[in-house]
């Protein structure tokens, strides 16, 4: 049972591994209401997974398609 507790902690802080390779100035900027709304509309229009199209059709503050995908996954989880 001890090993499982540790497994859980890993999945809860992906930043630890992900941000190691990323320059320090690439801090995660919090998403604005507007960006979240654009993301929702983009998924409604283009469908889930069409992150590049959504990125080009809507205004986002220096987000990548990976940012959109991650944010969407978190939004769905939060429901």
């Amino acid at each position: 049972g001890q090993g499982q507790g540790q497994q859980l902690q890993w999945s809860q802080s992906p930043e630890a591994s992900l941000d190691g390779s990323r320059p320090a100035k690439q801090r995660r900027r919090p998403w604005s209401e507007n960006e979240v709304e654009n993301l929702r509309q983009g998924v409604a229009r283009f469908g889930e997974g069409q992150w590049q199209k959504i990125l080009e059709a809507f205004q986002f503050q220096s987000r990548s398609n990976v940012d959109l995908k991650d944010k969407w996954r978190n939004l769905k989880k939060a429901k």
Side-chain angles (χ1 to χ4, degrees):
Q2 195 73 48
Q4 267 181 323
Q6 266 171 328
Q7 197 79 43
L8 216 104
Q9 253 169 341
W10 265 124
S11 59
Q12 274 174 343
S13 66
E15 283 81 19
S17 53
L18 284 182
D19 288 352
S21 57
R22 196 180 280 172
K25 65 173 186 293
Q26 269 292 127
R27 290 298 307 159
R28 272 168 199 269
R29 222 184 289 102
W31 281 66
S32 68
E33 298 270 325
N34 206 27
E35 284 182 295
V36 171
E37 185 52 38
N38 285 345
L39 178 56
R40 289 181 195 280
Q41 285 184 26
V43 170
R45 184 188 295 182
F46 298 110
E48 209 170 316
Q50 300 297 312
W51 312 120
Q52 197 57 48
K53 285 185 185 172
I54 296 169
L55 209 54
E56 290 162 9
F58 294 91
Q59 287 292 302
F60 294 98
Q61 288 168 7
S62 13
R63 305 288 179 196
S64 69
N65 47 6
V66 175
D67 290 329
L68 268 57
K69 185 184 63 165
D70 285 347
K71 181 62 177 178
W72 184 249
R73 195 183 57 210
N74 290 336
L75 285 174
K76 285 203 307 187
K77 214 164 47 178
K79 275 185 187 173

